């Protein structure tokens, strides 16, 4: 049937090892996105709907740890060639997400919290500097935009209003 023809098409276009490797990586990445973003987003929604502050704290900590992990993902290309890399990444995301393991809390308390406490003053100074730079940059962009708009509007030919003829 159609499935058989599609598989033959894939096999004719790619070598079998490439198809065998690409499909699982696609599935593993998809599962990582589902476990890393979709499930925690929904659980955060549910946590915010309750008056319990502990579940709010759990998901805030998760998002902090997950954000750091995603920054590290920028260097995925250095490690993605390692055997079982995507399987281990998915397992780590599951470890972070699952309330049974409290993995995000463990990572936060052991690594992230001590690091941030030690460097809090430096991080605050850096963020203040970045805010100032962002404000200066946005003011510059707005002023340049106004200048260009004025130039464009100034170069538009003006039609004079048609004169009305007086009839006596």
């Amino acid at each position: 049937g159609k499935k058989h023809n599609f598989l033959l098409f894939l096999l004719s276009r790619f070598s079998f090892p490439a198809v065998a490797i690409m499909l699982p990586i696609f599935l593993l990445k998809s599962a990582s996105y589902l476990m890393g973003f979709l499930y925690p987003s929904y659980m955060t929604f549910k946590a915010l709907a309750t008056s319990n502050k502990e579940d709010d704290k759990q998901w805030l900590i998760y998002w902090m740890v997950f954000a750091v992990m995603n920054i590290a993902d920028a260097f995925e290309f250095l490690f993605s060639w390692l055997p079982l890399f995507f399987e281990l990444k998915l397992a780590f995301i599951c470890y972070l997400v699952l309330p049974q393991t409290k993995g995000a809390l463990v990572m936060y308390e052991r690594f992230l919290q001590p690091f941030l406490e030690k460097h809090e003053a430096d991080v605050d100074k850096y963020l203040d500097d970045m805010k100032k730079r962002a404000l200066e940059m946005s003011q510059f962009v707005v002023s340049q935009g106004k200048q260009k708009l004025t130039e464009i509007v100034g170069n538009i030919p003006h039609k004079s209003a048609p004169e009305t003829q007086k009839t006596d």
Side-chain angles (χ1 to χ4, degrees):
K2 289 184 178 182
K3 287 182 182 177
H4 179 70
N5 290 340
F6 180 70
L7 287 174
L8 287 176
F9 169 78
L10 280 179
L11 291 174
S12 69
R13 298 290 183 244
F14 305 104
S15 68
F16 180 73
V19 172
I21 291 170
M22 285 171 50
L23 189 60
I25 289 174
F26 167 75
L27 291 175
L28 289 165
K29 282 186 164 192
S30 298
S32 293
Y33 287 126
L34 288 172
M35 281 300 289
F37 287 105
L38 194 58
Y39 176 74
S41 294
Y42 183 70
M43 295 310 292
T44 301
F45 162 76
K46 295 202 41 114
L48 292 173
T50 69
S51 60
N52 179 1
K53 297 293 180 197
E54 278 305 304
D55 57 359
D56 296 354
K57 180 181 174 183
Q58 172 191 346
W59 291 109
L60 282 171
I61 287 173
Y62 168 79
W63 288 113
M64 286 181 67
V65 172
F66 191 71
V68 171
M69 188 186 98
N70 275 285
I71 292 167
D73 256 4
F75 303 100
E76 179 181 280
F77 67 93
L78 295 173
F79 306 104
S80 61
W81 59 271
L82 293 170
L84 302 176
F85 172 78
F86 292 103
E87 290 85 350
L88 292 171
K89 181 179 174 182
L90 177 58
F92 183 68
I93 290 171
C94 290
Y95 168 73
L96 294 177
V97 168
L98 294 173
Q100 296 87 341
T101 61
K102 298 188 188 285
L105 181 63
V106 170
M107 299 302 290
Y108 175 77
E109 289 176 346
R110 285 196 185 157
F111 302 106
L112 193 53
Q113 184 180 23
F115 177 83
L116 289 174
E117 286 174 350
K118 181 178 178 182
H119 299 285
E120 187 172 3
D122 295 331
V123 171
D124 286 342
K125 183 181 179 318
Y126 178 77
L127 289 175
D128 284 342
D129 291 346
M130 293 306 294
K131 285 180 200 174
K132 287 176 188 169
R133 289 182 185 177
L135 180 60
E136 290 169 2
M137 179 66 78
S138 64
Q139 289 171 339
F140 174 76
V141 168
V142 167
S143 72
Q144 292 296 307
K146 283 180 181 178
Q147 183 180 348
K148 290 292 181 191
L149 186 59
T150 303
E151 289 173 18
I152 291 170
V153 170
N155 290 331
I156 295 175
H158 299 295
K159 285 187 175 182
S160 48
E163 293 184 27
T164 56
Q165 293 182 353
K166 293 184 180 180
T167 55
D168 298 313

